[in-house]
């Protein structure tokens, strides 16, 4: 099938979010300028045809395939959303996309617009995943600094696990402080919850093992079990 025939088939899709995401997916297989034209069509569908409660999810599905010029257009749309959490979630995706396109300055600048600490840390870690080694250390340090501001316990544990993947950017003392602060936050939980959550800390424990001998770590884990009788 030709590109025009594929566009005609997609035009027959009646549900706007699906039509938009399908056009965006097709754009990822095309060269510029056709790819940008298709992506802009997808954005226009989201803007003019999707219900308000569908727009955030629809744009979120499109962002990972957008080129930089079209990504700026997407930003101009969703930054007007009243829902701050929806904006933060989309900004995380935009940060990751700019980073994937090697525009680390723009990705880092967007971090300042993210209002929710959980999303800030998530965006920083996603940038760090693809950033040059020279940038990773400062990004991880900032993520560690912001982590105590994350109020949701499950999200915090998940982010600690993600941080541990970047353990090479942290010193032994920083890893130990992260371990202790995370356990301290767990102090308000009951024993079954802590034992379940401790599994999320295994990547961090593994990272600590590179600095702390295994017998010492095992002793520390046994000590933790005594804190929640």
């Amino acid at each position: 099938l030709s590109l025009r025939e594929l566009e005609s088939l997609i035009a027959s899709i009646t549900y706007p979010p699906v039509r938009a995401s399908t056009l965006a997916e097709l754009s990822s297989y095309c060269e510029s300028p056709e790819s940008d034209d298709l992506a802009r069509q997808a954005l226009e569908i989201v803007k003019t045809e999707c219900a308000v409660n569908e727009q955030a999810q629809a744009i979120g599905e499109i962002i990972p395939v957008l080129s930089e010029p079209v990504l700026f257009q997407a930003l101009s749309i969703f930054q007007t959303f009243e829902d701050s959490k929806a904006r933060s979630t989309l900004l995380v995706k935009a940060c990751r996309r700019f980073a994937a396109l090697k525009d680390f300055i723009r990705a880092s600048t967007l971090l300042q617009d993210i209002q929710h600490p959980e999303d800030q840390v998530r965006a920083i870690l996603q940038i760090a995943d693809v950033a040059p080694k020279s940038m990773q250390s400062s990004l991880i340090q900032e993520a560690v600094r912001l982590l105590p501001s994350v109020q949701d316990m499950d999200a915090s544990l998940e982010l600690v696990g993600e941080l541990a993947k970047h353990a090479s950017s942290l010193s032994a003392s920083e890893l130990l402080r992260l371990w202790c602060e995370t356990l301290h936050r767990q102090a308000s939980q009951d024993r079954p919850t802590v034992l379940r959550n401790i599994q999320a800390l295994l990547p961090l424990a593994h990272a600590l093992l590179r600095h702390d001998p295994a017998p010492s770590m095992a002793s520390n884990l046994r000590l933790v079990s005594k804190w929640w009788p």
Side-chain angles (χ1 to χ4, degrees):
L1 292 177
S2 69
L3 178 59
R4 297 304 165 218
E5 288 172 324
L6 287 171
E7 286 185 77
S8 179
L9 282 173
I10 293 171
S12 67
I13 299 174
T14 57
Y15 187 46
V18 174
R19 188 162 77 253
S21 64
T22 307
L23 269 176
E25 181 67 20
L26 177 60
S27 76
S28 67
Y29 295 99
C30 299
E31 299 293 332
S32 186
E34 287 83 2
S35 60
D36 286 354
D37 289 341
L38 290 169
R40 288 190 178 96
Q41 289 180 48
L43 277 179
E44 188 63 22
I45 291 170
V46 173
K47 185 178 179 180
T48 61
E49 298 185 42
C50 291
V52 173
N53 63 339
E54 297 172 334
Q55 289 180 338
Q57 181 175 349
I59 289 182
E61 292 178 359
I62 291 172
I63 284 175
V65 299
L66 297 183
S67 67
E68 195 158 357
V70 187
L71 188 51
F72 280 110
Q73 290 182 281
L75 278 172
S76 70
I77 295 174
F78 71 72
Q79 284 187 318
T80 64
F81 290 174
E82 294 183 2
D83 186 339
S84 64
K85 180 58 179 174
R87 286 199 310 274
S88 284
T89 300
L90 291 171
L91 281 166
V92 172
K93 291 177 180 288
C95 285
R96 181 173 182 82
R97 183 56 180 161
F98 275 118
L101 294 168
K102 307 302 182 187
D103 189 345
F104 297 108
I105 294 177
R106 176 62 59 177
S108 299
T109 301
L110 280 182
L111 290 172
Q112 302 170 23
D113 296 332
I114 300 176
Q115 298 179 5
H116 297 263
E118 171 189 340
D119 291 327
Q120 281 184 307
V121 176
R122 198 178 305 281
I124 290 169
L125 293 177
Q126 292 191 3
I127 295 171
D129 283 342
V130 294
K133 291 285 187 184
S134 59
M135 288 183 62
Q136 286 182 358
S137 180
S138 60
L139 286 167
I140 298 306
Q141 296 289 340
E142 180 64 7
V144 171
R145 186 186 71 80
L146 289 170
L147 191 62
S149 302
V150 178
Q151 298 300 312
D152 184 272
M153 191 71 70
D154 289 338
S156 177
L157 285 168
E158 177 194 347
L159 293 169
V160 167
E162 291 298 314
L163 264 170
K165 296 176 183 177
H166 296 277
S168 60
S169 298
L170 297 171
S171 67
S173 61
E174 289 167 332
L175 284 169
L176 185 59
R177 185 173 71 250
L178 182 59
W179 170 264
C180 293
E181 288 176 352
T182 304
L183 289 180
H184 178 74
R185 295 191 68 189
Q186 291 289 308
S188 61
Q189 307 296 309
D190 58 29
R191 181 183 176 87
T193 301
V194 171
L195 292 178
R196 185 191 73 237
N197 290 346
I198 205 76
Q199 296 181 45
L201 297 180
L202 290 179
L204 180 56
H206 184 266
L208 274 167
L209 279 173
R210 299 195 190 104
H211 303 281
D212 196 18
S216 175
M217 176 59 70
S219 174
N220 288 335
L221 287 172
R222 284 195 296 271
L223 181 60
V224 167
S225 69
K226 296 179 182 178
W227 296 351
W228 288 272

